[in-house]
Amino acid sequence: MTNLRDSNILQDFTVWIDDVGKIGEAPEFQPPEINISVEEFRGGGMDGTIEVPMGIEKIEFDFQLHTWDEQIWTKLGYGPGSLDVPITFRGYLLTPGGAEKGVYIYTQSLIKSIKPGKVSAGKKVEMTISLCANYYQHIVDGNTLAEIDVFNKVTFLNGQDKSAFARRTLGFNY
């Protein structure tokens, strides 16, 4: 049975936007939720329906800044380069034995929205930045747990390249 003594505890983190660290400026980060897209299926002779996996759902996430960050405003938008803004989460876990493990989440993302919080004189500002990633990589202690590249049809999960056969069949050369 696993309990708190056996857990990896996140000790600290920061967010990087286009290779600029937001150390001390990002109090909250919601890592992307990875969901399998499914469709219901019921074929002839089946007594019920099942869900059939059909790829990966849209990869959305958000984070907060508590500064009026000009850089984030320059990355909002559409047009050339807007889908590929590098957003990186860097943190570290403390293991039960006291060892530390690095945690990295790399994305290439579209900054969909910037929602400024209520402004009050003499108080910190808050901004919530909402994103949609077309590239996602999650690494813990040097091990890639997941890598998803939507445009290049790469879906690496659980140590397996789930899209390799599809890429070869469709004529991709990688």
Side-chain angles (χ1 to χ4, degrees):
M1 176 195 307
T2 302
N3 60 41
L4 185 59
R5 286 190 318 261
D6 302 324
S7 299
N8 291 314
I9 305 295
L10 183 66
Q11 294 295 300
D12 204 357
F13 75 93
T14 193
V15 175
W16 291 69
I17 303 168
D18 202 12
D19 297 325
V20 176
K22 301 301 175 182
I23 298 167
E25 298 176 13
E28 190 172 289
F29 180 85
Q30 173 60 58
E33 190 173 313
I34 305 301
N35 294 307
I36 304 299
S37 179
V38 297
E39 289 186 16
E40 282 192 9
F41 173 77
R42 181 175 180 178
M46 293 175 63
D47 278 343
T49 60
I50 61 168
E51 290 186 333
V52 178
M54 300 298 288
I56 302 293
E57 287 185 358
K58 184 169 37 169
I59 303 171
E60 296 182 293
F61 65 109
D62 59 50
F63 64 92
Q64 286 188 342
L65 294 175
H66 58 190
T67 179
W68 204 279
D69 192 301
E70 294 176 38
Q71 181 199 15
I72 199 72
W73 288 98
T74 67
K75 303 300 178 186
L76 175 69
Y78 56 91
S82 63
L83 294 175
D84 299 315
V85 177
I87 305 292
T88 304
F89 169 89
R90 294 172 168 261
Y92 67 95
L93 302 170
L94 185 62
T95 67
E100 295 173 325
K101 294 180 181 179
V103 177
Y104 306 95
I105 297 174
Y106 301 103
T107 72
Q108 295 287 321
S109 299
L110 166 68
I111 298 177
K112 295 190 328 179
S113 70
I114 299 172
K115 180 182 176 186
K118 186 181 270 187
V119 178
S120 298
K123 296 196 176 182
K124 68 180 180 184
V125 294
E126 292 185 0
M127 302 170 74
T128 300
I129 294 84
S130 297
L131 306 103
C132 181
N134 66 73
Y135 177 83
Y136 168 86
Q137 185 180 40
H138 187 160
I139 299 170
V140 175
D141 200 28
N143 299 310
T144 300
L145 303 180
E147 182 176 13
I148 300 164
D149 186 338
V150 175
F151 290 126
N152 291 305
K153 196 162 181 62
V154 172
T155 307
F156 182 86
L157 301 169
N158 197 26
Q160 295 180 332
D161 186 348
K162 305 285 188 176
S163 300
F165 177 78
R167 284 195 311 275
R168 282 192 311 274
T169 301
L170 295 173
F172 290 74
N173 293 326
Y174 49 90

